[in-house]
Amino acid sequence: MGNIERIENELAPLRQKLNEHKLYKSLKTVEDIKIFMEQHVFAVWDFMSLLKALQNHLTTTSLPWTPAPNPATARFINEIVLGEESDVNELGEPKSHYEMYLDAMEQIHAKTDTIKLFITCIENNLSINEAAKKAGINEEALKFMQFTFDVIDTHEPHKIASAFTFGREDVIPDMFFQIINQSEMGSDSFSKLTYYLNRHIELDGDEHGPLSLKMIQELCGTDSQKWGDVLEVAKQSLEQRLALWDSITMKIERNKLTELV
């Protein structure tokens, strides 16, 4: 059994818990989608820092320039940066996927004030914790981001690559499409979200997923310690995702109870 197959087998129970999480059954209305997106947007944002950390480690981003140690890995990372940081939206305008997500939130009237204040604080050189406190971010969303930056702060590319490769969701698009199709709102009301989801599926499933696994193989080689690190970070990443999903589910359920009162 190869190392990738062994890791995927080890992760199977956590992935099953994630795929069967009660959050998905809780998402039944547009209001539920709004609550989800208002919390999930922080995971969309911190994904970019994982990606840029890999770009810093695996390509040359300093001067004077020197060749990257592994041109194939450098090309892969640069291609993902192009797709994630400067893709084009449904209008043909260059935008990051984070910005597309924010546009989709605004189109369905989800609240964006918290994430925007958080980003403003980051731009003003506040730390993650300081910015989160000032913006009033949910504790579980903050914990999720703290874990991401703890991995980044190891400065070990194989660990960062593990969080990047194994720690991100692949069930959200189908879930969103089901709700959109069942919604009484017109399809135009979800045009930005639908476009974002289609790009997510196209890039992550068809291109980025297989290349990410190849990157892990190249970073770990025959080093058993690194393969062990990759497995541990992958498990922790999925556990953090489950905790975030638990928190969002509670928010949605509380909101439903409030509506009944």
Side-chain angles (χ1 to χ4, degrees):
M1 181 185 297
N3 286 307
I4 292 292
E5 186 180 0
R6 180 176 62 84
I7 287 173
E8 290 182 334
N9 286 341
E10 289 273 354
L11 296 179
L14 283 170
R15 282 181 167 166
Q16 184 175 356
K17 286 179 68 175
L18 188 60
N19 290 337
E20 297 175 354
H21 199 282
K22 61 181 180 179
L23 169 65
Y24 308 125
K25 292 183 179 179
S26 299
L27 288 164
K28 296 179 179 178
T29 68
V30 175
E31 190 62 32
D32 299 335
I33 289 183
K34 290 179 184 179
I35 294 171
F36 175 86
M37 295 183 77
E38 287 164 8
Q39 301 301 313
H40 178 243
V41 66
F42 295 98
V44 175
W45 171 78
D46 81 346
F47 170 81
M48 285 304 305
S49 290
L50 276 175
L51 175 56
K52 298 300 281 188
L54 286 173
Q55 188 180 36
N56 288 339
H57 284 289
L58 303 178
T59 73
T60 302
T61 57
S62 59
L63 296 175
W65 178 87
T66 55
N70 188 320
T73 303
R75 177 181 175 85
F76 163 57
I77 290 299
N78 285 334
E79 284 180 349
I80 297 185
V81 170
L82 175 64
E84 295 286 345
E85 190 175 35
S86 50
D87 202 358
V88 291
N89 67 8
E90 77 283 5
L91 301 175
E93 302 166 337
K95 285 200 174 184
S96 68
H97 282 194
Y98 161 76
E99 290 167 308
M100 289 185 198
Y101 196 87
L102 215 60
D103 287 346
M105 289 178 68
E106 291 175 341
Q107 188 180 42
I108 66 169
H109 306 297
K111 297 176 183 176
T112 58
D113 52 334
T114 301
I115 181 65
K116 286 183 176 179
L117 176 55
F118 175 76
I119 295 299
T120 297
C121 291
I122 294 296
E123 290 172 340
N124 290 330
N125 297 319
L126 270 67
S127 69
I128 298 293
N129 289 344
E130 291 169 336
K133 184 177 180 180
K134 189 163 185 178
I137 291 174
N138 175 273
E139 183 179 354
E140 288 303 332
L142 173 58
K143 286 181 180 178
F144 186 90
M145 290 189 291
Q146 286 173 330
F147 172 77
T148 296
F149 283 91
D150 284 345
V151 173
I152 290 171
D153 288 343
T154 66
H155 300 291
E156 297 183 75
H158 67 288
K159 292 182 180 180
I160 302 170
S162 178
F164 177 90
T165 300
F166 297 109
R168 297 293 159 165
E169 70 281 9
D170 58 7
V171 294
I172 290 175
D174 287 341
M175 169 192 71
F176 273 175
F177 281 131
Q178 288 179 13
I179 298 169
I180 289 170
N181 291 336
Q182 295 168 7
S183 173
E184 294 179 359
M185 295 174 66
S187 59
D188 289 346
S189 301
F190 294 101
S191 61
K192 293 183 181 297
L193 179 57
T194 299
Y195 182 86
Y196 170 88
L197 294 172
N198 280 324
R199 289 297 288 161
H200 181 89
I201 292 170
E202 179 183 353
L203 292 175
D204 290 2
D206 298 341
E207 301 175 27
H208 295 173
L211 288 172
S212 294
L213 295 177
K214 187 176 180 181
M215 172 178 63
I216 293 285
Q217 289 176 321
E218 291 177 349
L219 289 173
C220 292
T222 59
D223 190 324
S224 59
Q225 178 63 53
K226 286 185 177 180
W227 282 110
D229 291 342
V230 164
L231 176 59
E232 182 61 28
V233 170
K235 285 182 176 178
Q236 291 174 350
S237 296
L238 292 177
E239 287 165 354
Q240 289 293 325
R241 175 73 59 178
L242 285 165
L244 180 62
W245 268 203
D246 288 344
S247 172
I248 297 174
T249 303
M250 287 180 61
K251 275 186 168 292
I252 291 170
E253 290 175 347
R254 285 197 204 103
N255 185 65
K256 290 183 188 295
L257 289 173
T258 302
E259 290 176 344
L260 292 174
V261 175

